[in-house]
Amino acid sequence: MTMWIRLLLTIWICTGTAMAAEKATGKMHPEVSLPSAAAGWMWDGKEERHGDAKALFAYMNGAAELYLSYGFQGLTVRRYEKPGSPALTLELYEMASSEDAFGLFTFERQDEPAGIGQGSEFGGGMLRFWKGRHFAAVYTEGSGPAVDDPLLALGKMTADAIPEQGREPQWRAVLPGRDLGLVERSVRFIRSHVLLNQRFFVSHQNILNLDRRTEAFLAQYVQQDQQAHLLLIRYPHAQAAGEAFRGFMKAYLPDAGENGGSQTEDRKWTLARRQGEWVIIVFGAPTEENAAALVLAAEVKRKPGAEGLGAPGK
């Protein structure tokens, strides 16, 4: 046997051994080793992997736009079974960044936190959480303590298996807080105008020029028992912000006064300002003063050094 044949044989044996070990330990990829069992529910040994838009669309019957908007990189799906009990399904998504994983989580957030990962919610037989660059959904067809406890256990084991810690988008800190009526669970990190319209309709056209280079936060505020929305958008540079601001004012607030505000037909106030690479808009405030207070609070918090923030653009 020649040296090259022996070398190839050694590589083949080592590769086969590594693949067998990976299957035995339930390893998804080099960064995450998914659990093989949780609270009596056993992985059925099968695993779906979807790594591109076409595969994701097929898996979701066409409803993949949300995940693609947040930089979808890959999906692994496992099913866990226990005789006589509803099966558990685990979906683990890898996104382009931790900010994208955070955004995907916030977009549909509505239930109580579960203390899993870096942010979570649990309700109706489904756990959702994010950690690092990953977003996970764990769900079952049943509900109640018999399945809720193992579902949460599977979620916690999955979160613990993700070694990295991510961070929320830095500019989350610019949002005014509860002292001005912030509804915490309403905060959304948004990457596209299509997603913005799903949470608060602005225009069929992308008049704010939102894309993956922009960072947009939408949040709800309760003022005088009425709901207002604050939209903060950070653009890659001041020129892009200026172009978007002018386009928005022309299309949405053509009759705005010098302060950038206008009272709409429902007698509520919309006010928009632009500072550097930022555009700040308040929709539906009960009074002009309420709208101005929200804008001012955001302007103060976005200044360099405010609440630990660095200089704009850093």
Side-chain angles (χ1 to χ4, degrees), residues 3 11-12 24 40 45 54 56 70-71 124 132 160 199 218 241 252 266 271 296:
M3 179 182 67
I11 293 174
W12 179 79
K54 183 178 180 180
L56 186 64
Y70 286 106
D160 290 344
R199 287 293 170 257
L218 177 70
Y252 201 94
D266 59 3
L271 190 150
L296 177 61

Side-chain angles (χ1 to χ4, degrees), residues 17 39 157 174:
T17 302
M157 293 175 68
V174 176

Side-chain angles (χ1 to χ4, degrees), residues 193-241:
H193 82 285
V194 175
L195 297 184
L196 172 61
N197 283 339
Q198 289 182 27
R199 287 293 170 257
F200 183 85
F201 182 81
V202 175
S203 171
H204 290 295
Q205 304 300 318
N206 188 13
I207 60 176
L208 286 164
N209 298 340
L210 298 183
D211 58 30
R212 282 199 52 79
R213 299 176 306 157
T214 57
E215 299 172 284
F217 282 97
L218 177 70
Q220 185 180 58
Y221 289 79
V222 176
Q223 299 178 323
Q224 299 182 16
D225 296 324
Q226 299 184 47
Q227 296 179 353
H229 287 82
L230 175 64
L231 179 62
L232 302 178
I233 310 171
R234 180 174 177 265
Y235 292 85
H237 46 74
Q239 181 180 351

